[in-house]
Amino acid sequence: MPVNDSVIIALDIVKEQLLDENPKLDKSDKSDINQAEEYLIQVIDEEVKIKRGIYTLMAFKFYKKALEPVFLYFVYHRNEENFISKCSKYIYKFIAELEIAYFSSRSIEEFYKKAISEVKASSHPHFEFPQADNDNYKWKAKLRNPVREPSNYWNTQGLVLRTICYQEENEHQLMFLNSGENDWDFQIEHICPQAGNKNIDKIYTIGNLTLLEKYWNVEASDAEYCDKIECYKESHAIITKKLPKKYYTWSLELIDSRTEEMISYLNELFADWRRDYDKG
């Protein structure tokens, strides 16, 4: 499946930012940056695991910034032996550390400065951040909290949902999960509807949320779970498609357990990505 246009546009912006920030680059350096972009697009097109990683980074609200350390990895290290394997491990390690820092409300600017400095120096950055151990407790606590403001759904809960989706076997069906531009874009769906439950905090937590195409989300609307199962079955989002197979009914009591399942799944993902990276 070809690289999504949104990814190409984002990489072009990152490239131009690098060129603007370094006006004294000679022709050779500029050519090097252009070649790095071309190779990165080629690798995303050919390597499914790296494509998943790039799409996950595109799920951040500051995705252009999130892509910069990966872009620089190609600029500085693309000619090294076993580059694809090293790059794949680096991308997922970077995602794990970035999501943990972001969910922990740590300074992302500080994180980036160190990440960029390290990637310029080595193809195997240390990622030794002083607050990392403390963050391991904070991010889980934050994901248990409700988010009532619709404009903030994508920034935290949407990122969790897309991170999980992109690890599924047929993630290529999802492409870049945009919001609201056409009927088949994905939106945040409240499994237990907001109608009649607006004063219950837990319906705004991650355990009550999934991804659903705009078309089906409009049809499901504020219906009860039993009335929108068919919409879930038709969805291309695997996280949603699985719901009717696992839950015959839905209740407020199930939300907390699903929240913990999702946090546990993320925790295992991050641990796996960290271990894989540490093995070298």
Side-chain angles (χ1 to χ4, degrees):
M1 181 172 289
V3 179
N4 188 284
D5 287 344
S6 298
V7 175
I8 295 175
I9 292 169
L11 292 176
D12 277 339
I13 293 171
V14 173
K15 179 186 72 176
E16 293 305 318
Q17 285 176 344
L18 289 175
L19 294 174
D20 290 343
E21 290 167 3
N22 300 277
K24 295 182 179 180
L25 292 175
D26 59 27
K27 288 184 179 180
S28 175
D29 290 329
K30 291 178 180 178
S31 175
D32 200 38
I33 289 174
N34 285 320
Q35 289 173 19
E37 181 191 24
E38 291 173 7
Y39 186 37
L40 175 51
I41 292 172
Q42 176 189 332
V43 170
I44 295 170
D45 189 35
E46 296 174 353
E47 302 290 333
V48 173
K49 188 173 181 180
I50 290 179
K51 180 184 292 186
R52 290 179 183 174
I54 295 297
Y55 283 178
T56 303
L57 289 171
M58 289 287 291
F60 282 90
K61 65 176 181 178
F62 44 86
Y63 61 89
K64 293 185 283 291
K65 203 172 193 61
L67 289 171
E68 185 175 345
V70 174
F71 195 111
L72 287 172
Y73 196 90
F74 275 73
V75 172
Y76 286 95
H77 309 298
R78 69 185 186 281
N79 294 320
E80 292 189 12
E81 188 177 357
N82 299 320
F83 172 75
I84 297 300
S85 175
K86 290 179 181 178
C87 176
S88 178
K89 291 178 180 181
Y90 166 75
I91 288 173
Y92 283 92
K93 169 70 170 177
F94 177 67
I95 292 170
E97 301 300 340
L98 179 59
E99 290 204 16
I100 289 170
Y102 177 61
F103 292 143
S104 302
S105 301
R106 181 144 58 89
S107 170
I108 297 301
E109 286 299 325
E110 178 187 335
F111 177 92
Y112 272 119
K113 285 179 183 178
K114 187 165 176 56
I116 289 172
S117 173
E118 289 193 353
V119 80
K120 288 179 178 179
S122 170
S123 61
H124 193 81
H126 295 298
F127 284 100
E128 293 176 352
F129 298 99
Q131 294 172 289
D133 290 338
N134 194 33
D135 287 346
N136 273 324
Y137 298 98
K138 286 184 177 179
W139 74 265
K140 296 171 190 175
K142 182 170 182 179
L143 292 186
R144 293 185 180 101
N145 293 334
V147 177
R148 285 181 167 270
E149 179 55 51
S151 62
N152 290 330
Y153 289 163
W154 283 109
N155 296 341
T156 52
Q157 296 154 318
L159 175 56
V160 171
L161 294 168
R162 284 177 285 180
T163 297
I164 292 172
C165 275
Y166 283 133
Q167 309 317 308
E168 298 290 350
E169 181 180 352
N170 56 348
E171 92 298 328
H172 59 279
Q173 295 185 43
L174 299 175
M175 293 295 285
F176 174 55
L177 300 182
N178 206 342
S179 175
E181 292 190 6
N182 63 62
D183 284 345
W184 298 106
D185 285 330
F186 288 81
Q187 296 183 331
I188 300 290
E189 153 74 354
H190 293 77
I191 302 170
C192 182
Q194 296 176 80
N197 297 297
K198 287 187 176 180
N199 294 323
I200 302 175
D201 276 346
K202 68 171 61 183
I203 71 164
Y204 298 98
T205 59
I206 189 69
N208 190 51
L209 303 178
T210 191
L211 295 171
L212 191 61
E213 291 88 338
K214 181 180 178 182
Y215 177 87
W216 294 119
N217 202 24
V218 170
E219 183 164 323
S221 188
D222 289 322
E224 295 300 321
Y225 181 77
C226 61
D227 296 321
K228 51 188 177 183
I229 281 180
E230 292 306 315
C231 296
Y232 290 177
K233 290 178 180 178
E234 295 294 326
S235 177
H236 288 92
I238 302 303
I239 194 171
T240 304
K241 213 174 186 68
K242 286 181 176 179
L243 285 170
K245 297 177 182 178
K246 186 171 183 178
Y247 304 103
Y248 296 105
T249 60
W250 189 254
S251 66
L252 293 173
E253 289 70 29
L254 288 172
I255 295 175
D256 290 339
S257 62
R258 185 168 179 262
T259 293
E260 294 307 314
E261 285 177 13
M262 295 172 80
I263 291 173
S264 177
Y265 179 76
L266 265 191
N267 189 52
E268 290 175 14
L269 271 184
F270 295 159
D272 286 345
W273 295 343
R274 284 170 154 178
R275 278 193 298 267
D276 194 36
Y277 184 78
D278 290 341
K279 289 177 183 176

